[in-house]
Amino acid sequence: MITLKKRFSLLLAILFLCLSGCEGFKNKESGGGGESLKADCVRGSERIYSCTMIPRGKSVRVPLEFAVSSGRLSSFSATHFTEAADPAVDTKDFKYGLFTVEIEGIHPGGEVEFAVRSPEFFKATAYWIYNKNASPTWTDPEAESREIEKLLTAGKKPAETGHGAPASANKAAARAKRKTREMTIRVKDGGAFDSDGKADGRIVLVGGPKDSFWGYALGTLFIRFFGIFIVLIVLMAGMIASGKVFQRMEAAEEKKKRGDVEATEGSGDSDKGEGSAEGLSPEAAAAVAVALHMHFTGLLSSEPIDLRVSPAGPWTLDGRGRIMSERCLVFNRKAR
Amino acid sequence: MSWEQVFELLKSIIITQTGLPHLHIGQLVMFCVGFFFLYLAIAKEYEPLLLVPIGFGIFLVNFPLTPLMGYSEHGYPELIQFFYKYGIKWEIIPCVIFMGLGAMTDFGPLIANPKTLLIGAGAQLGVFITYIGTLFFGFTLKEAASVAIIGGADGPTTIYLTAKLAPHLLGANALAAYSYMAMVPLIQPPIMRLMTTPEQRRIKMRQLRPVSQREKLLFPLIATTFIILLIPAVAPLMGLFMFGNLMRECGVVKRLSDTAQHALMNTVTIFLGISVGATMQAEVFLSWKPMLIFGAGLLDFIVCTFGGILTVHIMNRFLKEKMNPLIGSAGVSAVPMAARVSQMEGLKADPDNWLIMHAMGPNLAGVIGSASAAGMFIAMFN
């Protein structure tokens, strides 16, 4: 049997957990909720850029890596989607946002392999390219997608793993190794995917990882549906806790009032008659009124009263409820 | 002036300055739509407070060449455009209506049995199912969200969200929401009987504990704190709702509370109804989308009712004192109609079983639940 004190403590614990666990509903500035698409990128080498960001629909940072097989990545930036807006393409599909990559130092008209890696990519994830000079402006180059053995973490440096390393780092590393997916695209200088459209030894690639719309929609909807439960559970916990507090306070006040009344009665005031109406609550008064009404109506009527249809207001209904729960007898008027 | 010139002049006046030559079949269809909703409101008394101004708004705005929903030559909004722009587009009217609703609401049954909040949450199931379903039919994400919230059975919330996300669907969504709210006594009972056994319908619930005035006074403050901290996007709706309730419960601003409940509420209802009706011009309304919206709205209501009753069944697995599953359908926040439906179905099963006060808890929880769902959608698109 859980005592009142333990129940109250449990409710407070649940409230605390719900509040601290509500990462998904933090505002944009704190980076939670997955609505912020700001990527923090650092150059790993001449041919690699490593980024971490909170994609749409998530509340934790994920790593992404962009690499080229030849040449060098001279410039790398996140691009606002309005620059590449197209009615045929929905921004919601690009939960990582868009990136503009400039590759230099390649032979004019040459080809280079461009790779994007992340442990968060699925087999269905594609890398779409935007080229304002092409028609259609958005294309899916059908990147080759495969799983690779590469350690990617959300920190700026890969965590140290192996013997002597913290268990959490080894766990995260094992998870990363198991899941890192790489998408590779062959891009030709001056080709269909090169935004500058010139075979000049420089490729400008604008695009981003695109996930299945339904995956996002269903995922986010589940979160938000259960989010309503979380909000209302938190409110319920608060109401239960405050209800208990108020009931205790009122019980204490009632006790004190009764004590005062008894003290007053005991001091010799006997002129109260058969009963005093002072202590009668409005609910009890309503219940008595309904009982009298039913009794006298029953006496006058030769037919049983149809209790199913009633224009009675909330007080009378409340009174009826109280009478029934006290198991008041209802006379069978037909038998009279 | 010759007779020919006179006739020419008359002809040009008739063509350019009267509406007769510009009347087309779409507008005649919209007249019929307006008359239909006026009939429902006046003859059948289906939500007359909203359907009369909406129906008349539809009728009025579909006359040709009327300076009602456009902008004048000086760039000022015309009459109904003025109400629409500053009342609905600016999201003022739905929030003021919510304030009036809060001033009318007694949260006692909900405070006495806070568990029923979960029923209000479960009854939003239809909102999310309808959201996915409408996407299949080519609605955009925002349109789908605005259609899905119809199942929350909360007129101001529907209007607030639709005005924000898909204003071109405002008329259809509002009409669907209010029509189905009026039809709750027709829609819900078959689902309630399908999802419950006669024994379950006869479950008697313990009388609710008395709720002190102090609790009712603090409830709007507590609820506002929790809800807005967790879903800030819903602050305009919930904030005013709870403010209205606070005015009612504090007892020291009776005049303000009375004004919010009566005069102010009635005033904004008139402007709301006529503005919403006036968005339903033939060119906007006569397409496949409004028809789909009506179908989706009905499905939404059905699934929400199902979700509420299912939630009670799930809760009963964990509760010692079982709840009557009929109150689950009251999680659809058509206040107080859905609670009355639970009451009537309960009485049919057992004439001694009075469920109305028990059903008011989930009914009020549904208001909070549907506003929370709207807040979730707003946050999704922000």
Side-chain angles (χ1 to χ4, degrees):
Chain A
M1 179 77 175
I2 305 173
T3 61
L4 194 65
K5 199 178 172 184
K6 281 186 184 167
R7 278 188 199 178
F8 187 72
S9 311
L10 186 65
L11 278 167
L12 278 176
I14 291 169
L15 182 66
F16 174 75
L17 281 170
C18 288
L19 283 172
S20 59
C22 282
E23 293 276 341
F25 303 106
K26 282 183 198 165
N27 59 30
K28 251 194 227 178
E29 281 73 38
S30 63
E35 303 301 329
S36 166
L37 295 179
K38 190 170 162 282
D40 295 322
C41 298
V42 289
R43 182 187 277 283
S45 70
E46 266 204 347
R47 292 181 185 171
I48 294 176
Y49 255 92
S50 299
C51 298
T52 60
M53 63 180 301
I54 301 175
R56 199 178 285 115
K58 278 200 166 294
S59 57
V60 293
R61 297 193 83 86
V62 301
L64 286 104
E65 192 175 83
F66 299 81
V68 289
S69 60
S70 58
R72 62 186 164 81
L73 285 171
S74 60
S75 168
F76 183 91
S77 61
T79 301
H80 206 277
F81 200 84
T82 48
E83 294 174 29
D86 190 304
V89 168
D90 193 345
T91 179
K92 280 278 183 261
D93 294 343
F94 293 84
K95 63 180 186 186
Y96 303 94
L98 295 188
F99 302 93
T100 301
V101 178
E102 286 184 23
I103 308 165
E104 285 181 352
I106 52 171
H107 186 69
E111 275 192 359
V112 68
E113 271 190 5
F114 173 72
V116 185
R117 303 169 190 131
S118 176
E120 298 302 314
F121 293 157
F122 304 109
K123 208 172 171 184
T125 307
Y127 197 90
W128 280 54
I129 308 277
Y130 172 77
N131 184 353
K132 63 176 183 271
N133 300 317
S135 179
T137 49
W138 282 98
T139 34
D140 177 7
E142 290 179 7
E144 189 191 314
S145 177
R146 59 195 178 115
E147 278 194 349
I148 58 167
E149 292 286 323
K150 174 140 185 161
L151 175 64
L152 284 179
T153 61
K156 292 216 164 117
K157 288 184 192 168
E160 288 203 18
T161 57
H163 290 295
S168 56
N170 284 333
K171 236 194 230 176
R175 225 181 296 132
K177 273 188 180 165
R178 195 167 63 237
K179 282 188 181 176
T180 302
R181 186 160 278 279
E182 178 184 78
M183 292 186 288
T184 315
I185 308 162
R186 287 200 75 82
V187 190
K188 187 177 175 186
D189 182 24
F193 305 139
D194 184 358
S195 281
D196 69 12
K198 292 181 247 174
D200 55 358
R202 181 173 158 268
I203 296 172
V204 177
L205 206 59
V206 179
K210 183 174 181 279
D211 269 304
S212 155
F213 159 73
W214 288 106
Y216 172 78
L218 291 172
T220 191
L221 280 179
F222 272 119
I223 291 167
R224 291 178 198 274
F225 177 57
F226 287 106
I228 296 177
F229 273 97
I230 291 171
V231 170
L232 294 185
I233 285 170
V234 169
L235 182 59
M236 180 183 79
M239 284 168 68
I240 291 172
S242 61
K244 297 248 183 273
V245 167
F246 285 119
Q247 280 177 78
R248 280 201 159 175
M249 281 166 62
E250 271 136 39
E253 278 172 17
E254 193 62 40
K255 203 173 170 185
K256 192 179 171 214
K257 222 188 264 181
R258 234 181 280 140
D260 290 342
V261 166
E262 278 167 13
T264 318
E265 280 177 353
S267 68
D269 187 356
S270 57
D271 191 20
K272 290 251 181 203
E274 285 188 355
S276 167
E278 284 173 12
L280 196 66
S281 67
E283 293 89 351
V288 168
V290 169
L292 286 171
H293 162 77
M294 283 166 62
H295 173 71
F296 289 120
T297 317
L299 285 175
L300 293 169
S301 147
S302 57
E303 292 292 323
I305 299 170
D306 186 0
L307 292 174
R308 285 168 294 176
V309 178
S310 167
W315 279 119
T316 312
L317 290 172
D318 187 68
R320 271 182 182 158
R322 287 175 184 278
I323 291 166
M324 281 187 285
S325 63
E326 293 297 320
R327 295 194 182 93
C328 180
L329 290 170
V330 177
F331 296 110
N332 183 351
R333 287 165 189 85
K334 259 193 174 168
R336 284 190 178 179
Chain B
M1 217 179 185
S2 68
W3 281 111
E4 274 176 12
Q5 284 172 320
V6 168
F7 283 131
E8 265 314 305
L9 186 64
L10 267 172
K11 191 178 159 190
S12 82
I13 290 172
I14 288 169
I15 289 171
T16 59
Q17 294 181 27
T18 69
L20 265 172
H22 303 277
L23 206 55
H24 57 78
I25 190 78
Q27 288 161 330
L28 296 173
V29 170
M30 291 311 294
F31 288 155
C32 298
V33 170
F35 292 149
F36 173 67
F37 284 105
L38 283 171
Y39 166 77
L40 283 181
I42 298 168
K44 298 285 185 190
E45 291 187 41
Y46 279 9
E47 288 285 339
L49 291 175
L50 262 304
L51 289 188
V52 164
I54 289 177
F56 194 80
I58 298 173
F59 172 62
L60 193 62
V61 82
N62 279 289
F63 284 100
L65 304 181
T66 48
L68 288 170
M69 275 299 277
Y71 288 84
S72 69
E73 57 191 17
H74 304 294
Y76 302 125
E78 286 161 351
L79 179 69
I80 302 183
Q81 175 71 276
F82 188 90
F83 302 152
Y84 174 78
K85 181 176 176 182
Y86 296 110
I88 296 179
K89 220 167 159 184
W90 282 18
E91 295 153 17
I92 309 267
I93 289 180
C95 299
V96 172
I97 289 186
F98 244 45
M99 181 172 68
L101 284 174
M104 289 177 182
T105 303
D106 176 5
F107 277 104
L110 180 62
I111 297 168
N113 192 6
K115 291 193 295 295
T116 52
L117 278 167
L118 297 181
I119 303 174
Q124 306 312 312
L125 177 68
V127 170
F128 293 89
I129 302 246
T130 305
Y131 178 80
I132 297 168
T134 44
L135 290 170
F136 277 114
F137 287 99
F139 285 78
T140 64
L141 289 170
K142 290 185 176 181
E143 287 174 345
S146 69
V147 172
I149 204 68
I150 291 173
D154 197 332
T157 306
T158 302
I159 289 167
Y160 180 83
L161 189 69
T162 307
K164 226 177 178 34
L165 299 182
H168 54 288
L169 297 180
L170 181 64
N173 283 0
L175 258 184
Y178 284 110
S179 306
Y180 289 130
M181 271 192 272
M183 286 186 233
V184 152
L186 298 172
I187 298 171
Q188 287 195 326
I191 304 160
M192 292 159 82
R193 276 179 236 129
L194 193 70
M195 288 192 67
T196 54
T197 62
E199 291 75 31
Q200 287 169 337
R201 282 179 237 143
R202 283 195 285 267
I203 292 173
K204 278 207 172 88
M205 294 175 67
R206 191 156 46 111
Q207 184 70 20
L208 295 171
R209 69 169 176 88
V211 174
S212 66
Q213 191 55 34
R214 203 180 319 181
E215 283 187 88
K216 288 187 193 178
L217 176 63
L218 285 173
F219 171 76
L221 299 171
I222 296 171
T224 306
T225 306
F226 283 120
I227 296 169
I228 294 179
L229 275 177
L230 291 171
I231 316 176
V234 86
L237 277 178
M238 269 289 123
L240 284 198
F241 186 59
M242 294 300 170
F243 172 57
N245 192 244
L246 181 68
M247 284 198 291
R248 172 199 166 92
E249 299 300 346
C250 68
V252 294
V253 290
K254 269 194 166 10
R255 273 170 45 190
L256 301 186
S257 173
D258 286 343
T259 302
Q261 289 180 53
H262 300 113
L264 184 59
M265 181 85 157
N266 293 338
T267 307
V268 294
T269 301
I270 292 170
F271 289 127
L272 173 75
I274 207 139
S275 307
V276 166
T279 60
M280 282 187 281
Q281 290 147 322
E283 310 81 61
V284 173
F285 188 76
L286 292 178
S287 68
W288 57 272
K289 271 189 178 161
M291 299 303 126
L292 262 177
I293 286 168
F294 275 87
L298 177 62
L299 181 74
D300 208 340
F301 262 72
I302 291 170
V303 179
C304 283
T305 305
F306 169 84
I309 298 174
L310 180 67
T311 306
V312 177
H313 284 311
I314 294 171
M315 286 170 73
N316 278 347
R317 293 204 166 248
F318 301 99
L319 293 172
K320 271 193 211 150
E321 270 189 55
K322 307 292 173 198
M323 290 197 286
N324 191 314
L326 290 175
I327 68 169
S329 63
V332 171
S333 65
V335 182
M337 186 66 73
R340 274 198 214 130
V341 171
S342 299
Q343 154 87 342
M344 294 311 297
E345 289 300 311
L347 286 175
K348 279 180 194 169
D350 180 357
D352 279 343
N353 196 1
W354 301 86
L355 291 173
I356 182 104
M357 295 314 281
H358 299 286
M360 281 307 294
N363 214 195
L364 296 168
V367 177
I368 300 175
S370 65
S372 303
M376 292 287 180
F377 280 128
I378 293 169
M380 198 157 98
F381 293 109
N382 269 348

